[in-house]
Amino acid sequence: MFNKFDSIDELKRSVYMWMLPIITVALVINSFLNKQSQVDMIINSTLIFWFSVSWVLAFINRGIRFGEYSNLLLVSIYHVFTLFDVVHNDLAITGGSLGDFIVWMPLIIMFFFLVLGTKRGLYFSIFIFLITLTIAVIHSGQLTSEPIDSLTQFHAANIVYILVLFYAQNMFRAFTERDFFKKHAYIDSLTRVANRHQIDAWLEVKLAAAEDDKKPFSIIFFDIDHFKKVNDEFGHKIGDCVLKELSAIIAGNLTDGDHFGRWGGEEFMLIINDTGGQVYEKAEHLRKIVENHCFKGAGSLTASFGVTEFQSGDNIDSLLNRADEALYASKNSGRNKVSVKEPS
């Protein structure tokens, strides 16, 4: 029930799987405990039968959309007819109030929005609201003050529920879109690892912690050797696959606290909490993993690594300059190597 859903359809299916049995049981109890007319029995029996069929459709994950729209039609007819029946045969004759009829109203409106979406759900909810309001107005001359008050409260609550659900859906959509764009603003679209924007943010946090809390860290800067030849020989599609495959390899060999991202092009960066020889060993381990891996479509490739660690007074530029110098030292000494640039 509390799984993470990848789509709105999966979420709706889960809602139907849990809600339909509860509603069906409530209808069965209502049918047995209340004296009902033959028409009421037919409507309740139809709903019980069709809710059961709809649950089976949801269970086997087939024809769910058909089940939604057929239930939408039945529920709408039930809602309008029941209100008419209560007003015409009960309130107009014996007085009193709507009673437990209003209990299901929020769920019914919620179902309209769930099936039809925000805009169409709003229009359809207002359409049903106007029908029930017309019924109330037509019978208002036959009603005493108590049922009139009950109907007034019912329709006032009805319009409030419609507006609340409408604005809530828009609010949730706005938050979802904000989170989506925020997430993707920090993720490289090709490799699905952190992008340069995220790396800069990490470095700012790490530099502040290193200065204020004496928490040193190191960075490992690396890129793929002769990557231009990969693109020239095999094409950019294979080149993109190599970048994605490399990202997956490195991401699969991270430890807790490591930050990994794509700096740009074929260049990548690791930010780790280790210092000294541990950083070199980490970089050497990753270098060997890359060297021993066979990239799909491109075969064996290597990578060169540059390592440096934080020193007091560093900023992003000074830290990256040292890492860049170490990387070029590896390039200039034959590639497929790890070089360390010690703080001066």
Side-chain angles (χ1 to χ4, degrees), residues 8-222:
I8 188 65
D9 289 334
E10 289 183 17
L11 173 61
K12 290 199 292 184
R13 177 172 175 260
S14 180
V15 169
Y16 299 148
M17 290 285 292
W18 283 90
M19 291 289 112
L20 285 171
I22 297 173
I23 297 171
T24 303
V25 170
L27 284 169
V28 171
I29 293 173
N30 179 261
S31 299
F32 278 104
L33 296 184
N34 290 283
K35 293 181 65 177
Q36 296 180 321
S37 66
Q38 188 173 0
V39 175
D40 289 334
M41 287 297 297
I42 291 173
I43 292 176
N44 270 18
S45 299
T46 302
L47 287 173
I48 291 168
F49 170 75
W50 197 246
F51 285 164
S52 301
V53 171
S54 300
W55 185 89
V56 173
L57 293 176
F59 180 77
I60 64 175
N61 202 14
R62 293 287 187 276
I64 294 179
R65 200 62 179 162
F66 168 73
E68 283 185 316
Y69 279 108
S70 57
N71 281 320
L72 180 71
L73 177 63
L74 288 173
V75 167
S76 301
I77 293 172
Y78 170 82
H79 182 65
V80 171
F81 177 81
T82 303
L83 180 73
F84 173 81
D85 183 58
V86 169
V87 173
H88 182 74
N89 295 320
D90 294 332
L91 301 188
I93 298 174
T94 62
S97 61
L98 289 173
D100 61 3
F101 172 72
I102 62 173
V103 171
W104 294 101
M105 179 184 64
L107 184 61
I108 290 172
I109 298 172
M110 193 181 302
F111 178 62
F112 293 162
F113 279 96
L114 189 64
V115 174
L116 299 174
T118 305
K119 185 178 290 187
R120 290 191 301 161
L122 174 67
Y123 294 154
F124 190 77
S125 297
I126 292 174
F127 171 69
I128 297 297
F129 168 81
L130 291 174
I131 292 176
T132 58
L133 181 62
T134 301
I135 294 171
V137 171
I138 290 173
H139 288 84
S140 60
Q142 309 168 38
L143 304 177
T144 61
S145 59
E146 184 179 352
I148 289 177
D149 177 63
S150 181
L151 283 169
T152 302
Q153 297 301 321
F154 169 80
H155 284 93
N158 202 321
I159 200 67
V160 168
Y161 282 126
I162 291 172
L163 291 174
V164 166
L165 284 169
F166 174 73
Y167 284 112
Q169 288 212 355
N170 280 290
M171 181 180 66
F172 291 148
R173 179 181 289 108
F175 279 117
T176 300
E177 290 176 352
R178 185 201 66 178
D179 290 343
F180 175 84
F181 287 118
K182 182 178 178 182
K183 176 182 177 183
H184 284 77
Y186 290 92
I187 293 179
D188 180 64
S189 60
L190 175 66
T191 60
R192 314 307 300 165
V193 298
N195 61 14
R196 187 166 179 168
H197 190 188
Q198 177 66 81
I199 293 172
D200 282 338
W202 283 336
L203 286 173
E204 289 178 2
V205 172
K206 284 290 187 180
L207 286 167
E211 287 285 6
D212 299 338
D213 304 324
K214 307 304 178 186
K215 294 181 178 179
F217 67 97
S218 302
I219 61 174
I220 301 173
F221 200 29
F222 65 97

